[in-house]
Amino acid sequence: MMLDWVSGVLLLVGSFLLLTGALGFLRFADFYARIHACGVTETLATSCILLGLLIQSDSAVPQFKLLLILLFVLLSSPTSSHALAKAAWNAGVRPRDNRGKQPLPLPPGEH
Amino acid sequence: MELAVNIVLLSLLVTTAAALVLVRGLLASIMLTSIYGLLSASFFVIMDAVDVAFTEAAVGAGVSPLLLLLSVAVIGRHEARNAGARPLFAVLLVGITGALLIVGTLDMPAFGRADAPAHLHVAPRYLLLSGEETGIPNVVTSVLASYRAYDTLGEVIVIFTAGVAVILILASGTHRGSARPHSAPVDTKDPHTILQVVSKTMIPFMLLFAFYVQFHGDYGPGGGFQAGVIFASGIILYGLLYGLPAICRVIRPPVVELCSALGVLVYGVTGILSMLQGRPFLDYSVLADDPIRAQQIGIMVIELGVGITVASVLIVIYYAFANQFETNGN
Amino acid sequence: MDILSHFNYWVVVVLMMLGFFIVIARGNLIKKLIGLNIFQTSVFIFYISTGKVIGGSAPVLSSDIQLYSNPLPHVLILTAIVVGIATTSVGLALVLRIYRAYGSIEQDEILEQSRQ
């Protein structure tokens, strides 16, 4: 019973985080802010949902599989965000201000 | 609940396809294709087609966009604005065809009915008897590799032929041996260090997973087609991050080409083996004394042949495209 | 419920027509291949939808499950997907050769060049 509550809360938190990530993706100004919104929330949200499911399932094999998926997500999700951001930087996308209009000044040494 | 997910996924699929119609530029189109593949894989899970979802996730969201990307890297991502423009004619034609098809669907049995004609003919027999006859719980595997093994042999030969065709089309005009670059063309100024490290830890597990899918296919979703695609994606991922020369050193092209034929050979020889003993082609009962055991051995060997061919044909195709990219690309 | 009973089929028709539209209305050969892919996947969705039984389960036999979805469409589509990627890559290889011969993959430019 207690565990049901824990897993329910985890699932809810995960769904909420996914929702905020999607909102950020739609509403944020420039590419890097958007990818930040998705990448950061996605990792935590998927972990929460997977943990919630882990508590729900009652046999060892699905639990083990969920753990493996969790490990995979923890590795692959930040890496894919990194790859996207890097590809965008190499393609010449530069950070912009809050409204997405003006390019921001870059730190010295960058171009 | 399932129905709601069904409707949401299908609406997303239509949205993605509509975006594909509207968008200009090949790179965006390819990314949308990948999303489309992932969505349809999720849809297949909802429809209980777990084996199909496996394959579509690896092919539709992985390998197919990748091959498109490699071609676009050679050709350029530009899409001309007014090329082939007869939109009014096209809209008319599509509208009429679509309307006729929709009228046609009105006679179809309602979605999901257990008494629809499609479920009355052979499927009940497979579901009722395949467990006793083959001793394999996954009906998809037993139908694929035993009841409809002729079909599957045909498909495997088509895949093999496609691999040969790609080699022939792309290799003519260039000297294949010399065209293979030996100096690393991977950008040394900008090594994908993080990607390389992460993928290096993951690729062994991907390959291991492919073997799991291959040999666990009798008991859960999986089998030769899925395993072949997953194995090939692992290898292709390595090739993407470390460059074609590196992966060619690990798995030499002649070996893969040989393997793609070997898989078909394993399949065919199993069939001929039963013919030599006076039984019909691909009759597994000669493989062991116990009929169920014989079926299991037959299915395992067939699936192995399928897996080898699918994996190596996809790797061969990747080599051919990557070779084009590294010799002509920018 | 009456609309829902044919919803999947209608979506299939819409997807198929969107793919068909891309194939005939777009001049870029790679875009045409993408359109063909959409068309092909809509056929897959049609088959798999036909195979679904509401309340059914994935066709992996187990003693505590009574109703299964139809495994036959799964078998057909499973192989068709892999054959589909193989044939798509043949198409892409042809596109690359066309590009090598004509320097373009736009239908108009290729036709113009071949008329001369």
Side-chain angles (χ1 to χ4, degrees):
Chain A
M1 190 61 208
M2 187 59 203
L3 278 181
D4 268 0
W5 275 98
V6 174
S7 94
V9 167
L10 277 172
L11 288 176
L12 272 179
V13 168
S15 321
F16 174 75
L17 285 174
L18 275 182
L19 194 70
T20 54
L23 266 181
F25 178 71
L26 286 175
R27 298 292 301 160
F28 278 177
D30 77 334
F31 178 82
Y32 295 99
R34 286 180 181 187
I35 203 177
H36 173 80
C38 287
V40 173
T41 55
E42 187 200 42
T43 314
L44 185 59
T46 342
S47 314
C48 280
I49 290 178
L50 284 172
L51 279 176
L53 291 175
L54 200 73
I55 296 170
Q56 282 285 329
S57 83
D58 45 6
S59 56
V61 177
Q63 284 175 344
F64 179 64
K65 285 181 183 170
L66 281 170
L67 261 181
L68 282 183
I69 297 172
L70 182 63
L71 206 66
F72 179 78
V73 167
L74 284 179
L75 268 174
S76 65
S77 166
T79 316
S80 58
S81 305
H82 159 80
L84 261 177
K86 191 173 166 185
W89 182 268
N90 286 345
V93 180
R94 293 292 171 263
R96 287 168 180 277
D97 71 351
N98 280 340
R99 295 197 191 117
K101 300 257 165 58
Q102 301 276 311
L104 287 177
L106 294 171
E110 296 285 347
H111 51 88
Chain B
M1 189 58 208
E2 225 175 45
L3 213 60
V5 180
N6 172 30
I7 289 172
V8 170
L9 281 177
L10 286 177
S11 317
L12 285 174
L13 272 170
V14 172
T15 319
T16 317
L20 258 169
V21 173
L22 295 175
V23 81
R24 292 274 166 182
L26 294 177
L27 197 61
S29 305
I30 294 170
M31 287 306 142
L32 283 168
T33 322
S34 181
I35 294 173
Y36 187 84
L38 191 65
L39 283 172
S40 46
S42 325
F43 171 78
F44 294 149
V45 176
I46 294 294
M47 293 289 115
D48 300 333
V50 275
D51 292 272
V52 184
F54 240 132
T55 324
E56 176 70 17
V59 167
V63 180
S64 145
L66 196 116
L67 292 179
L68 285 166
L69 276 177
L70 278 173
S71 324
V72 166
V74 176
I75 290 167
R77 61 166 84 164
H78 175 71
E79 186 186 355
R81 196 141 197 93
N82 284 323
R86 277 196 308 276
L88 199 70
F89 169 72
V91 167
L92 207 69
L93 187 64
V94 165
I96 293 173
T97 321
L100 287 176
L101 283 174
I102 294 227
V103 171
T105 60
L106 295 180
D107 289 336
M108 299 260 316
F111 167 74
R113 289 270 295 274
D115 56 354
H119 306 315
L120 297 181
H121 183 41
V122 277
R125 187 186 177 284
Y126 291 150
L127 288 170
L128 268 179
L129 297 178
S130 73
E132 292 168 29
E133 285 175 351
T134 63
I136 283 177
N138 187 355
V139 186
V140 175
T141 302
S142 57
V143 173
L144 180 104
S146 178
Y147 295 102
R148 302 186 70 88
Y150 279 27
D151 270 20
T152 311
L153 178 61
E155 314 268 16
V156 171
I157 291 176
V158 170
I159 293 166
F160 173 65
T161 316
V164 174
V166 169
I167 294 178
L168 287 178
I169 293 169
L170 287 182
S172 61
T174 58
H175 296 289
R176 285 186 54 221
S178 62
R180 200 158 288 136
H182 287 288
S183 60
V186 174
D187 199 349
T188 42
K189 257 190 309 183
D190 183 29
H192 307 291
T193 318
I194 294 180
L195 290 179
Q196 284 181 345
V197 170
V198 172
S199 68
K200 214 168 197 172
T201 52
M202 283 201 307
I203 285 172
F205 293 103
M206 286 175 75
L207 302 185
L208 198 65
F209 181 62
F211 282 112
Y212 169 77
V213 169
Q214 169 84 47
F215 293 109
H216 193 257
D218 296 0
Y219 302 97
F225 284 96
Q226 297 93 319
V229 175
I230 293 170
F231 192 86
S233 0
I235 301 291
I236 292 174
L237 182 63
Y238 187 87
L240 277 182
L241 292 171
Y242 290 85
L244 190 59
I247 189 66
C248 282
R249 272 200 301 277
V250 180
I251 302 180
R252 292 167 43 74
V255 177
V256 204
E257 283 158 19
L258 205 69
C259 278
S260 63
L262 181 75
V264 182
L265 199 68
V266 167
Y267 204 137
V269 163
T270 316
I272 289 173
L273 209 63
S274 43
M275 277 176 88
L276 286 179
Q277 312 233 2
R279 308 283 312 201
F281 187 64
L282 283 173
D283 183 338
Y284 302 145
S285 60
V286 298
L287 296 173
D289 293 332
D290 178 30
I292 293 181
R293 186 92 196 102
Q295 285 287 339
Q296 285 174 341
I297 294 175
I299 289 174
M300 205 179 89
V301 174
I302 294 293
E303 289 275 13
L304 197 64
V306 171
I308 293 173
T309 296
V310 170
S312 29
V313 164
L314 284 179
I315 295 172
V316 160
I317 291 173
Y318 165 71
Y319 279 176
F321 279 89
N323 208 8
Q324 290 288 311
F325 170 58
E326 303 213 340
T327 46
N328 307 331
N330 29 21
Chain C
M1 273 324 265
D2 199 37
I3 302 172
L4 286 183
S5 69
H6 284 70
F7 180 74
N8 283 38
Y9 304 136
W10 295 340
V11 166
V12 166
V13 172
V14 171
L15 287 177
M16 195 180 267
M17 288 306 113
L18 286 172
F20 188 33
F21 180 80
I22 295 177
V23 173
I24 56 179
R26 290 303 183 79
N28 188 298
L29 294 181
I30 288 194
K31 191 80 179 204
K32 273 180 198 281
L33 273 178
I34 291 176
L36 268 182
N37 257 331
I38 302 262
F39 196 109
Q40 189 185 29
T41 314
S42 81
V43 178
F44 299 162
I45 292 173
F46 177 71
Y47 264 71
I48 300 294
S49 296
T50 326
K52 168 77 180 169
V53 175
I54 287 180
S57 158
V60 180
L61 299 176
S62 161
S63 53
D64 46 347
I65 296 174
Q66 296 303 318
L67 192 61
Y68 299 97
S69 287
N70 193 341
L72 192 54
H74 301 183
V75 176
L76 301 178
I77 297 311
L78 170 62
T79 53
I81 289 175
V82 184
V83 169
I85 175 73
T87 46
T88 305
S89 50
V90 175
L92 276 174
L94 285 172
V95 170
L96 284 180
R97 278 306 298 268
I98 290 172
Y99 179 71
R100 218 193 278 163
Y102 291 92
S104 164
I105 53 160
E106 299 291 339
Q107 188 179 282
D108 293 0
E109 293 169 25
I110 295 165
L111 283 176
E112 215 167 277
Q113 281 190 38
S114 53
R115 272 196 210 102
Q116 284 164 8

